[in-house]
Amino acid sequence: MSTAGGTSLQQALSDLLVVAERAGVAEDAARGEALALAAALAESAPGAPADWAKAVPGGTTQDFFDAAVRGRRWRGAPTAVLGELIVEASAEKTAYAEALAEVASAACTLGEPTMRVIGNASVAAAAQLQAVGARTLQAGAGPAGQVTSAKPTADGGVPGTPVEGATAGAAATQAEAEVAAEPAKTVEELLAELDELTGLARVKREVHRQVAVLRVEKLRTEAGLKSPTITRHLVFVGNPGTGKTTVARLVSGIYKALGLLSKGQLVEVDRSELVAGYLGQTATKTAEVVASAVGGVLFIDEAYSLTSGDTGADQYGREAVDTLVKEMEDRRDDLVVIVAGYPEPMEAFIAANPGLASRFRTTIEFENYTDDELADILTGLADASDYELIPESLDKFREILVATPRDSSFGNGRFARNVLEAAIGRHAWRLRDVTAPTTDQLRQILAEDLTDDPEPEATAELELEPRVEAEAADQSEQGDQA
């Protein structure tokens, strides 16, 4: 494990758990998501599984890769616990985001640091910090490739120096005093955030329509008038990276602001988090997941995997769906479920169970982004990570888009995020011999940083890790307009 000049994963994890305890977060939840985030970021680094396992009692290589799959959604979006702290307006939310950024930095010390891992860590750290309005981080070419600050920080940090736990804690303490009584966002503010997202014109219209219908239904009920029961559950269909998770998070906040949900948190899961290894256990596991989402939105990505597959529907998936339908009925007053996936498989999923068909009556389609919209997303992601794309870089990105097939596997916003992650790694490699780079050099992504023609000795480090094209977080949220 390369730890020279950087915080080890064990230390970063220990610091995170201190903050989690102050915030009233269960230790297992905080530990689990931090380890998953670190694994997802270091997935491409040779030797990372073994180093990661040292922070996990009894951990194995398979545990590492299982954790990496769970953590990929947080490479461009706030983690589940951080999301809950934000919803609760917790005084510890900034401190927790800072601690997650340290975990991202520590991921660069796992195995042999690669440029790809540096890019992953920079974008992920920025996503956590941006979610709470804290300063951004940038991955520089520092010792062991650790994430470094690229500009003066709130705590007086020096540009280009490692962001250590002590300075992060000082910034968090200051931030805690500033968020003592943060007001909850109004429906209008949340709809404005929706409208500011790149593209998604059809989605925005449908969400506005849903809000109007639900608002009037609530007012009629309060006035003692009869009102038809309108299902609040939604189906999101579209290719990966088209903003489904981002919009689901906003919908959860909007429903809370309307008084339809008590908490407004978003709990994002996929098949693996609903289905257990044995019949009978799946019902319990699914019920526990639903219970954690009560008061907010349960977002099930690739929901069609519960009822279909290469060999057809299986008993475990059916058990999960049956349990889900029952729980939706039992908790209908304080739970919204959003299921998401590709258009055609989702039609088959809804038709597979009469209980699903009666509860999911509104489908919102997420279209692929245009080249201009993807360029805007890339620019926004770069800004969030405190990088600057010069005009020639955007021209190069457009050339890449022209040459990229737009089939169902195209990543959309996630594709833009992947391009930026790789570019950040190449940027760090380009500056490897610059002893004292200027702020502009630390910030500017050049056209050459977006190419796939690195110097020969760097080729091995630039190989992309295997990806699961499931939508996840990402993002800044915009980058996971996924």
Side-chain angles (χ1 to χ4, degrees):
M1 179 184 295
S2 177
T3 59
T7 302
S8 69
L9 179 59
Q10 289 97 329
Q11 183 59 53
L13 184 59
S14 177
D15 294 342
L16 177 84
L17 294 179
V18 170
V19 180
E21 183 177 10
R22 293 203 309 261
V25 174
E27 179 178 327
D28 288 347
R31 183 190 299 276
E33 71 173 23
L35 289 171
L37 176 63
L41 299 179
E43 193 172 6
S44 64
D51 283 349
W52 179 90
K54 294 176 182 177
V56 184
T60 65
T61 297
Q62 186 58 52
D63 292 335
F64 171 84
F65 288 109
D66 289 344
V69 171
R70 296 194 303 273
R72 285 174 186 157
R73 70 186 62 163
W74 299 322
R75 282 170 42 186
T79 66
V81 170
L82 180 58
E84 292 181 10
L85 294 178
I86 292 171
V87 167
E88 297 167 359
S90 170
E92 298 292 342
K93 66 178 185 179
T94 300
Y96 194 82
E98 295 278 1
L100 286 171
E102 289 295 333
V103 170
S105 177
C108 296
T109 70
L110 299 177
E112 300 175 19
T114 69
M115 293 184 289
R116 182 66 188 194
V117 174
I118 294 172
N120 292 346
S122 180
V123 174
Q128 310 310 314
L129 295 167
Q130 186 189 35
V132 297
R135 57 168 172 66
T136 57
L137 295 182
Q138 184 180 51
Q146 78 267 20
V147 178
T148 62
S149 174
K151 63 179 181 178
T153 63
D155 57 306
V158 180
T161 60
V163 180
E164 301 293 345
T167 56
T173 300
Q174 178 181 348
E176 288 166 19
E178 296 172 354
V179 298
E182 183 177 324
K185 292 182 179 179
T186 65
V187 174
E188 291 72 21
E189 289 172 333
L190 291 164
L191 287 175
E193 286 187 30
L194 173 70
D195 292 338
E196 288 173 2
L197 295 180
T198 298
L200 304 177
R202 180 183 299 181
V203 174
K204 293 171 183 175
R205 287 196 300 271
E206 182 59 31
V207 172
H208 275 275
R209 189 188 72 81
Q210 284 288 309
V211 169
V213 169
L214 292 170
R215 177 177 175 275
V216 170
E217 179 194 30
K218 182 172 182 290
L219 291 173
R220 286 178 57 85
T221 300
E222 291 173 350
L225 300 174
K226 293 182 179 179
S227 183
T229 300
I230 300 175
T231 178
R232 297 171 288 174
H233 309 300
L234 301 170
V235 180
F236 286 0
V237 298
N239 289 331
T242 47
K244 297 187 286 292
T245 304
T246 301
V247 174
R249 186 169 287 109
L250 287 172
V251 166
S252 67
I254 290 170
Y255 281 8
K256 178 182 185 296
L258 285 170
L260 302 175
L261 295 172
S262 60
K263 297 178 181 177
Q265 80 277 21
L266 178 74
V267 175
E268 182 184 357
V269 299
D270 56 22
R271 176 190 166 96
S272 67
E273 290 157 286
L274 297 174
V275 172
Y278 301 94
L279 283 177
Q281 292 181 339
T282 291
T284 300
K285 189 174 183 180
T286 300
E288 289 174 351
V289 169
V290 173
S292 72
V294 171
V297 170
L298 176 63
F299 181 83
I300 306 176
D301 193 22
E302 293 188 318
Y304 51 80
S305 64
L306 293 170
T307 57
S308 64
D310 294 337
T311 58
D314 61 81
Q315 293 173 297
Y316 304 98
R318 287 197 297 268
E319 184 179 4
V321 170
D322 291 342
T323 304
L324 178 64
V325 170
K326 179 180 183 301
E327 292 290 327
M328 289 172 67
E329 177 62 26
D330 292 345
R331 304 177 184 273
R332 62 184 179 274
D333 293 333
D334 200 20
L335 174 71
V336 168
V337 177
I338 299 178
V339 291
Y342 293 105
E344 292 184 7
M346 287 305 296
E347 289 183 12
F349 168 72
I350 298 301
N353 186 299
L356 295 176
S358 65
R359 287 166 176 80
F360 291 101
R361 297 179 180 175
T362 301
T363 298
I364 300 180
E365 181 180 356
F366 289 67
E367 298 177 328
N368 288 334
Y369 290 111
T370 65
D371 286 3
D372 287 342
E373 290 168 347
L374 287 169
D376 286 344
I377 289 173
L378 182 69
T379 300
L381 281 168
D383 290 344
S385 298
D386 204 22
Y387 283 91
E388 176 189 355
L389 290 163
I390 64 173
E392 291 80 4
S393 301
L394 283 174
D395 291 340
K396 184 63 179 179
F397 180 61
R398 291 178 184 277
E399 292 177 14
I400 294 172
L401 288 174
V402 170
T404 302
R406 302 295 180 87
D407 54 23
S408 61
S409 65
F410 178 65
N412 284 280
R414 186 176 307 143
F415 176 84
R417 191 185 72 213
N418 291 345
V419 167
L420 179 63
E421 289 174 348
I424 289 173
R426 298 188 186 103
H427 165 272
W429 181 258
R430 178 167 54 80
L431 297 180
R432 66 191 182 280
D433 295 326
V434 180
T435 304
T438 65
T439 300
D440 282 346
Q441 287 177 312
L442 286 170
R443 296 190 69 248
Q444 290 181 345
I445 298 292
L446 306 183
E448 64 191 79
D449 297 326
L450 274 70
T451 67
D452 288 321
D453 300 315
E455 294 184 35
E457 66 264 34
T459 302
E461 291 187 341
L462 287 176
E463 293 179 356
L464 303 184
E465 72 270 25
R467 289 188 178 276
V468 171
E469 283 300 329
E471 175 182 307
D474 102 301
Q475 109 178 211
S476 76
E477 282 298 292
Q478 186 70 34
D480 231 2
Q481 275 194 21

